[in-house]
Amino acid sequence: MDKLKGHSRYWAMGLIIFAIMAVYTLRLVDWQILNGSSFLKEADKLRPSTVVMDAARGEILDSNGVGLAVNKTGYAIVFDRVYMKSDTQNNTIHQLIQLLNQRGEKWTDILPIKLNAKGQYEFVSGMDKEIATLKSADYANVNSYATADLCMAHLIEKYKVTGYSAEEARNIVSVRYNMTKSAFGISAPYTFAEDVSRDTIAIISENSSLLPGATGKVTTVRQYPNGSLLPHVLGTIGSISREEYDELKDKGYAFNDRLGKSGIEQAFESMLRGKAGEKVVETTNTGALASETVKTAPVSGDTVYLTVDSRIQSVLNVSLANNVKATQANGRKLSAQRYKGMSSGHGEDCVAGAAVVLRVKDFSVLAASTYPTYDLTEYLNDTNYYTSLINNKDKPLIDRAFNGVFTPGSIIKPYVALAALQEKAITTSTRLEGNSKYTRFADTGLVLGSIGNYGMITANYAIQKSSNSFFYEVGYRLGITNMNLYAKRFGLGVKTGIELHESAGILGGPSERTAAGGGGWYDADTVEAAVGQADSKFTPLQLATYTATIANNGVRLKPHLVGKVTDYSRKNVISQTSPETVDNIGVSQSYIDYVKEAMRSVATAGTASSTFKNYGIAIAAKTGTAVQTPHSDNVTFVAFAPYDNPEIAVAVVLEHGATSMYSNAVAKDILDAYFYGKTVDASGNLVMPSASGTASSGASSGTASGTASGNPSSSSSGSSAG
């Protein structure tokens, strides 16, 4: 019985084995004979991937077609996933880094970790946001409090970076980290270096077998013929951030794209960017390249023409820098002499300024300058330079022309006069006391001081001599509500609408003070506001807009920086900016003429006459000084010219400038540039065209001591150069 049971087990096992073998045999017959051809076809099927083809970025030019941000043909080193081998890519990266370092060329390095003098890893200061990204689960995957050493240990393990020195490992990790961030793959090539020489590309081509996956690519590189001419306005281009990518990916942006970060580059990104093309890359199941087909050719970005005149901009830049430095030097000298019994407050602390020039007929920006400033080329190419700008206490990265806010001082008196005349707070024949003390609040113990003892005067004479006492009383009669109503009509304390980021400034008054958490607003504050003190702070752009509005007989237009946009070839105009009316001040023309005549007298017999009394072009102006305790006073200057038929309006601010002669000097250089062709020579000096057509530097040194004369040149034609 037991023997029969044993035989049954053998038969059962045999049948099971036979059944299994039969199944495998039938499956092999199906794979190899019945359906073999279809499976072979599937194995040989090509795998298509779409690769983006970059478009050339549009260029930015000045009003005369002079290049400000242009493209040059360059060469980039790009990693192609089709050819890059996983087991050799670290060595390829290492060799390329060595090659570029030896040749003094840059590769893309964004890792926020560096080696210190002791050979230890540490985080780069000022890169907190990037450090947080690095520590996240997508990359180093460490805790938020992890050290740089721990981050590097995780990344070295993740990318299998072994057998290298600490510095070599750091550099390889930097590239691999950025490749991960850029979603490197067949559809997303990685740009290892954006701008290298043709010789470097030739070396890579000759050693292609040793550098699998690394190829040279002809590309366009952003270039700034004069990186310090207009950096704040032009703006910068940078790598797309995770937040920007999440917002823009539906518009065709890739994670390794670059885009405008500030200025015109950002404001006109959609036009400058162009339209990327596409090519289809087909690979076999082994990863070998089978074919490449261009599906859509890239379309270059549009060309943006600014309204800025490069020559006038250059003159303004040099003049502003010269006069800030001259203010400092003069202030130090007067402080050492204890001028007027004071060892400070003479302009020795003047380190900054700004100025804006508008064309009156359309409020286009002819020039806009900020000091201190920076060089856009160095900013984009030198990490140490960028760090120095960030740490500079004078903040050269701030665009003071559009975003700096300054207490204006007496330059607002023309608008206060216009508001008071229109609201019948005064008439053109009203006489008010223009003496050295304003005593309306004397019973409270408050007596306000004022320069000059002019007796009983009218508004035009008060503007000419800049009498505070007169305008204290005007402000009291007019009231802060009416004063601020007209201020907004002139563009003061509100955004002007220019294409770039701008500050709205501060329009002092009860609501503003309450919002700021201050105390109440009193009549004494109103009278201070009437002479450009109290809480109000305006941008140079707003001051230029206000001045141009007076020159334009009360019609305020929208300031603009872009004149037109064309296609990349510059042949076809896509859009052109037309003058756009924003507001009308609502003041009788007779009052406007009255105030304009008063501003003319400022230049001929008033506070600006030492500079402009005998100037060859009739100008209308107003000077201003604003107390900035414990610093030196701010000085401001506004003007328009020619007086009878205004073409340009100017606003100048010197922060802690102390004396008006230097702000006046900046304005004079601007007028010289516009009306007489003043320019900047190769040595950076301001020069005036001579009768022979060559330049002569004898007309102006660019500081107050050299620009306070009368006609700039006897050979000047007086015709507009703008």
Side-chain angles (χ1 to χ4, degrees):
M1 190 72 173
D2 291 338
K3 186 180 284 189
L4 288 172
K5 286 182 178 179
H7 284 299
S8 297
R9 289 193 192 98
Y10 287 134
W11 277 104
M13 290 295 294
L15 288 171
I16 291 170
I17 292 170
F18 178 78
I20 292 171
M21 293 298 294
V23 170
Y24 274 114
T25 300
L26 290 172
R27 198 65 177 149
L28 287 171
V29 169
D30 177 57
W31 286 348
Q32 296 186 19
I33 299 174
L34 298 179
N35 292 301
S37 60
S38 63
F39 283 119
L40 180 63
K41 184 177 180 181
E42 181 66 26
D44 289 338
K45 183 184 292 184
L46 300 179
R47 291 166 172 77
S49 298
T50 301
V51 178
V52 174
M53 300 172 68
D54 295 336
R57 191 170 181 84
E59 298 183 319
I60 305 173
L61 314 176
D62 85 342
S63 59
N64 299 308
V66 175
L68 302 175
V70 297
N71 298 326
K72 70 170 184 176
T73 299
Y75 300 91
I77 301 173
V78 177
F79 291 169
D80 191 331
R81 187 67 186 85
V82 172
Y83 298 105
M84 180 159 272
K85 302 175 182 177
S86 298
D87 57 342
T88 62
Q89 62 182 326
N90 285 344
N91 185 54
T92 296
I93 292 167
H94 174 57
Q95 291 187 73
L96 286 171
I97 290 173
Q98 284 187 312
L99 174 64
L100 265 62
N101 287 346
Q102 289 169 3
R103 297 181 60 79
E105 297 180 305
K106 296 182 181 296
W107 49 278
T108 304
D109 183 5
I110 66 166
L111 190 71
I113 296 175
K114 65 179 181 179
L115 275 173
N116 61 25
K118 297 179 181 179
Q120 301 169 326
Y121 294 121
E122 65 179 28
F123 292 119
V124 178
S125 62
M127 298 186 71
D128 295 346
K129 189 174 181 180
E130 185 58 46
I131 291 168
T133 300
L134 174 71
K135 292 179 179 180
S136 67
D138 292 334
Y139 305 109
N141 192 23
V142 296
N143 292 319
S144 60
Y145 51 81
T147 63
D149 275 326
L150 184 59
C151 288
M152 280 299 301
H154 278 248
L155 292 170
I156 286 171
E157 181 181 359
K158 177 177 181 176
Y159 296 125
K160 298 179 174 59
V161 184
T162 58
Y164 298 97
S165 69
E167 182 178 3
E168 290 169 341
R170 183 262 168 215
N171 291 341
I172 294 170
V173 163
S174 175
V175 176
R176 294 293 304 275
Y177 166 64
N178 201 28
M179 290 167 68
T180 303
K181 284 192 68 180
S182 302
F184 175 58
I186 293 176
S187 298
Y190 173 73
T191 302
F192 168 75
E194 294 183 342
D195 186 15
V196 297
S197 67
R198 182 184 296 181
D199 290 343
T200 297
I201 295 297
I203 293 171
I204 292 171
S205 297
E206 291 168 3
N207 295 275
S208 58
S209 61
L210 302 175
L211 301 168
T215 60
K217 175 184 175 183
V218 178
T219 185
T220 57
V221 179
R222 208 58 158 177
Q223 189 176 48
Y224 305 94
N226 184 347
S228 60
L229 181 70
L230 207 63
H232 300 89
V233 169
L234 292 178
T236 58
I237 302 171
S239 300
I240 194 169
S241 67
R242 166 63 71 179
E243 295 79 7
E244 289 168 333
Y245 174 69
D246 290 340
E247 183 180 338
L248 297 171
K249 60 185 178 182
D250 292 338
K251 296 182 180 180
Y253 281 82
F255 197 68
N256 60 348
D257 271 350
R258 292 170 66 80
L259 76 167
K261 295 285 188 174
S262 62
I264 294 294
E265 294 280 19
Q266 180 185 49
F268 285 79
E269 166 68 18
S270 61
M271 290 184 161
L272 290 166
R273 179 179 179 238
K275 188 175 181 180
E278 289 183 347
K279 66 178 178 180
V280 177
V281 177
E282 293 184 315
T283 56
T284 66
N285 65 318
T286 63
L289 178 67
S291 67
E292 287 185 347
T293 306
V294 175
K295 183 178 178 182
T296 308
V299 179
S300 298
D302 298 326
T303 297
V304 175
Y305 282 79
L306 302 187
T307 59
V308 172
D309 185 304
S310 291
R311 180 179 56 78
I312 297 175
Q313 180 69 35
S314 296
V315 169
L316 179 52
N317 287 351
V318 171
S319 180
L320 192 60
N322 285 353
N323 282 288
V324 167
K325 294 171 186 175
T327 300
Q328 291 175 3
N330 184 62
R332 287 192 293 267
K333 181 182 73 174
L334 295 179
S335 294
Q337 296 172 354
R338 292 189 62 84
Y339 180 66
K340 294 186 177 180
M342 299 185 299
S343 60
S344 63
H346 302 297
E348 70 285 347
D349 51 346
C350 178
V351 295
V356 175
V357 187
L358 297 181
R359 193 187 298 274
V360 172
K361 71 176 182 180
D362 58 6
F363 284 36
S364 57
V365 178
L366 291 175
S369 186
T370 290
Y371 183 86
T373 186
Y374 66 98
D375 188 295
L376 198 50
T377 301
E378 289 190 62
Y379 173 92
L380 295 173
N381 294 301
D382 187 338
T383 303
N384 293 330
Y385 179 74
Y386 172 75
T387 303
S388 72
L389 295 175
I390 292 291
N391 295 328
N392 190 324
K393 62 182 178 60
D394 298 327
K395 305 185 184 306
L397 292 175
I398 292 178
D399 183 358
R400 287 174 166 85
F402 296 163
N403 289 289
V405 292
F406 304 91
T407 307
S410 295
I411 56 173
I412 72 162
K413 288 174 180 174
Y415 110 73
V416 174
L418 286 167
L421 289 166
Q422 187 65 30
E423 293 299 317
K424 309 305 180 186
I426 60 171
T427 68
T428 56
S429 59
T430 298
R431 292 183 177 272
L432 302 175
E433 196 171 86
N435 291 331
S436 60
K437 293 181 180 180
Y438 182 68
T439 60
R440 175 174 282 279
F441 307 117
D443 59 337
T444 67
L446 177 63
V447 177
L448 299 174
S450 177
I451 296 174
N453 282 294
Y454 306 116
M456 302 301 290
I457 56 176
T458 52
N460 55 353
Y461 192 78
I463 290 172
Q464 179 191 124
K465 298 301 182 183
S466 201
S467 169
N468 277 357
S469 281
F470 183 96
F471 277 95
Y472 285 147
E473 181 61 20
V474 170
Y476 180 81
R477 295 185 180 191
L478 179 61
I480 194 63
T481 301
N482 280 330
M483 200 184 305
N484 286 351
L485 172 66
Y486 283 86
K488 291 178 180 179
R489 292 179 183 176
F490 278 102
L492 299 172
V494 294
K495 291 187 176 182
T496 68
I498 201 161
E499 298 95 331
L500 304 188
H501 181 273
E502 61 172 324
S503 171
I506 301 170
L507 189 57
S511 58
E512 175 274 329
R513 185 165 290 181
T514 299
W521 183 269
Y522 305 100
D523 288 342
D525 297 310
T526 298
V527 302
E528 288 278 14
V531 298
Q533 293 285 169
D535 299 348
S536 292
K537 293 185 177 181
F538 306 132
T539 68
L541 174 62
Q542 290 173 331
L543 296 176
T545 301
Y546 148 61
T547 308
T549 301
I550 294 176
N552 201 39
N553 292 322
V555 178
R556 176 161 68 95
L557 307 179
K558 181 190 288 188
H560 60 278
L561 274 160
V562 173
K564 64 179 179 180
V565 178
T566 71
D567 61 9
Y568 192 79
S569 70
R570 310 181 189 178
K571 294 178 180 177
N572 301 309
V573 176
I574 295 171
S575 64
Q576 193 140 11
T577 305
S578 299
E580 181 179 340
T581 299
V582 177
D583 208 340
N584 191 306
I585 62 172
V587 174
S588 168
Q589 185 63 47
S590 64
Y591 295 145
I592 294 174
D593 292 340
Y594 176 82
V595 169
K596 287 167 74 173
E597 288 174 6
M599 293 177 70
R600 172 66 183 137
S601 73
V602 170
T604 58
T607 53
S609 60
S610 61
T611 303
F612 295 105
K613 182 177 181 179
N614 297 313
Y615 192 69
I617 301 294
I619 79 163
K622 186 69 191 78
T623 57
T625 304
V627 176
Q628 297 289 286
T629 306
H631 299 285
S632 301
D633 298 343
N634 281 355
V635 290
T636 54
F637 182 84
V638 295
F640 62 85
Y643 167 67
D644 291 325
N645 186 21
E647 294 180 28
I648 65 169
V650 177
V652 180
V653 178
L654 295 186
E655 192 171 7
H656 312 316
T659 173
S660 63
M661 66 178 176
Y662 295 106
S663 56
N664 295 3
V666 174
K668 183 176 180 296
D669 283 332
I670 296 169
L671 295 168
D672 285 351
Y674 184 86
F675 291 108
Y676 296 106
K678 180 176 281 187
T679 189
V680 179
D681 68 13
S683 300
N685 298 313
L686 295 177
V687 294
M688 193 73 75
S690 69
S692 62
T694 59
S696 170
S697 60
S700 171
S701 67
T703 59
S705 60
T707 59
S709 58
N711 291 343
S713 171
S714 60
S715 62
S716 301
S717 66
S719 61
S720 170

